[in-house]
Amino acid sequence: MAALLVVFFPVGLLLFLLFMERVEAPLRRADDPEEMERFLESAKQEDVDNIISGGLRKAMKVWRRRLTGRRRRTGSDPIEASVSQRED
C-alpha cells in the first residue's frame, strides 16, 4: 500500500500542478492598457453593472462583443473612429 502511495502521490501532484497552471494562466494575462482606456472612456451604465456583478473580465467581454456587433452592422470600426477623433 505504501509503495502505491509513493508512486501515485508524485503523479497526482504533477497533474494537480498542471491543472492549476491552466486555471491561473488567464488570470495572469493582463489586458491591453490602451484597450482598457478605451473601455473606461466609453463605458455605459450596463458596463458598470457588469463590472459590479461579474467582474472586469466579463464587462470587457460584453463590451468587445458589442463593438464587434456594431462593426458588422455599420461596416465601420468604432475604435478607429474614436482614436482618430482624439488625434484631431
Side-chain angles (χ1 to χ4, degrees):
M1 183 69 173
L4 289 176
L5 185 61
V6 168
V7 171
F8 289 123
F9 180 75
V11 173
L13 183 62
L14 179 64
L15 291 174
F16 175 72
L17 290 174
L18 289 172
F19 171 73
M20 289 307 296
E21 175 67 25
R22 286 185 168 241
V23 169
E24 291 176 1
L27 300 174
R28 284 194 310 262
R29 184 179 61 229
D31 288 329
D32 182 25
E34 293 173 2
E35 183 182 33
M36 183 66 64
E37 186 176 327
R38 286 193 305 264
F39 169 74
L40 293 174
E41 287 175 356
S42 66
K44 296 180 180 178
Q45 185 60 40
E46 174 188 352
D47 299 323
V48 175
D49 293 340
N50 285 336
I51 290 173
I52 293 169
S53 67
L56 185 60
R57 201 170 289 280
K58 177 185 175 190
M60 291 289 291
K61 184 177 178 181
V62 171
W63 179 72
R64 286 183 194 118
R65 194 176 321 136
R66 188 172 63 229
L67 284 180
T68 56
R70 190 180 307 157
R71 273 186 235 149
R72 287 187 198 129
R73 286 192 303 269
T74 63
S76 66
D77 188 354
I79 294 174
E80 291 297 324
S82 68
V83 169
S84 65
Q85 287 176 353
R86 277 191 270 154
E87 290 174 353
D88 291 340

